[in-house]
Amino acid sequence: MLYTAFLFGLISSFHCVGMCGPIAMLLPVDRTNQAKKVTQILTYHFGRLTAYGSMGLLFGLLGKGFFMAGIQQKLSIVIGIVMIVVVLIPENIFAKYNFSKPIYRLISSLKQKLGSQFKQKTYKSLFTIGLFNGFLPCGMVYVALFGAIAMQSPEMGVLYMILFGIGTIPLMSTVVYINSFLTLAVRNKIQKIIPYVAVVIGVLFILRGLGLGIPYISPNTTSLFVQQNPNCH
């Protein structure tokens, strides 16, 4: 299922352009030295991947707890359903309930620290911008984190989120070079594709949990999950 992380990151990067594109466009990179500019952009992305990987670690540990509890199949099905529900519910519904209110001060502080880093033109500041950017609230990241839980181990959770982040790199890098290469009309059309992709990924997780014996899509339970007590008779 790791391929779904990269695929979802690639598609959701069109959403990222709208939400985080302004951050990428304003990066304090060297506009005269192209070689240095590339390393600076990569440093920014490394900061984002570090944030995603650390979240993948935490949610992978959570998934391991579910695995140890022996509910891994049900978990995969539930996560698939949640993925589908999250992308189908209009964003204004979430905004109305203001789920981020309990951590509003933390988010506000994070944004202030993020803004202060743009005044500096160092690799450290670029890494910090990417790190803070990665921790900012994002619906696409939340969906990816459900996938990290389903990986059922901290290592795989980290890898899942890093692959998700790598999927966003091509488009997020392009906006640094060409600020207006995607018009609003084109972005809106591509945005409409994202829910369909998320639904497909959700369905794949549901099929994975059902263990229907379909190779690569829905392997049977004995090949999908490691037995907890393989030597018991």
Side-chain angles (χ1 to χ4, degrees):
M1 298 298 290
L2 287 172
Y3 67 91
T4 64
F6 178 78
L7 174 63
F8 188 61
L10 192 64
I11 298 298
S12 65
S13 61
F14 290 99
H15 173 82
C16 295
V17 168
M19 298 299 292
C20 302
I23 293 177
M25 294 175 190
L26 295 174
L27 286 177
V29 297
D30 192 328
R31 307 290 174 177
T32 59
N33 187 325
Q34 291 301 314
K36 184 178 181 180
K37 185 176 180 179
V38 170
T39 60
Q40 289 174 325
I41 293 172
L42 290 176
T43 301
Y44 160 71
H45 287 310
F46 183 63
R48 291 198 306 121
L49 293 181
T50 300
Y52 293 153
S54 61
M55 289 188 286
L57 175 64
L58 294 176
F59 282 82
L61 283 169
L62 179 60
K64 184 177 181 179
F66 286 120
F67 173 76
M68 296 300 291
I71 58 174
Q72 56 270 28
Q73 283 182 265
K74 293 179 181 179
L75 176 66
S76 186
I77 295 172
V78 169
I79 285 176
I81 293 173
V82 171
M83 281 183 171
I84 295 172
V85 171
V86 167
V87 297
L88 292 182
I89 296 177
E91 289 188 12
N92 60 341
I93 299 296
F94 286 109
K96 183 173 66 174
Y97 289 99
N98 196 11
F99 291 110
S100 62
K101 188 175 181 179
I103 54 172
Y104 176 79
R105 289 183 180 178
L106 177 61
I107 295 172
S108 179
S109 175
L110 191 63
K111 288 182 177 180
Q112 288 179 358
K113 292 179 180 179
L114 178 61
S116 66
Q117 294 299 316
F118 284 93
K119 299 176 183 179
Q120 306 175 43
K121 293 185 178 182
T122 65
Y123 284 99
K124 181 181 178 181
S125 65
L126 286 163
F127 174 83
T128 305
I129 291 171
L131 186 68
F132 288 166
N133 189 181
F135 282 121
L136 288 176
C138 174
M140 298 300 101
V141 174
Y142 296 158
V143 174
L145 287 173
F146 287 125
I149 293 175
M151 291 299 100
Q152 303 158 7
S153 77
E155 297 83 6
M156 295 299 288
V158 170
L159 182 57
Y160 192 91
M161 289 305 296
I162 287 178
L163 286 174
F164 167 79
I166 290 174
T168 68
I169 288 178
L171 197 57
M172 288 294 288
S173 297
T174 304
V175 298
V176 180
Y177 289 92
I178 312 174
N179 293 349
S180 59
F181 82 107
L182 280 178
T183 64
L184 180 60
V186 172
R187 289 206 303 268
N188 287 338
K189 289 180 180 179
I190 296 173
Q191 285 271 27
K192 295 178 181 179
I193 301 175
I194 296 176
Y196 294 101
V197 175
V199 167
V200 170
I201 293 174
V203 170
L204 287 173
F205 273 99
I206 292 172
L207 291 173
R208 179 176 182 260
L210 291 174
L212 301 176
I214 305 173
Y216 304 107
I217 296 177
S218 183
N220 59 44
T221 55
T222 56
S223 60
L224 179 59
F225 303 109
V226 178
Q227 297 179 0
Q228 295 185 36
N229 298 296
N231 295 324
C232 294
H233 299 283

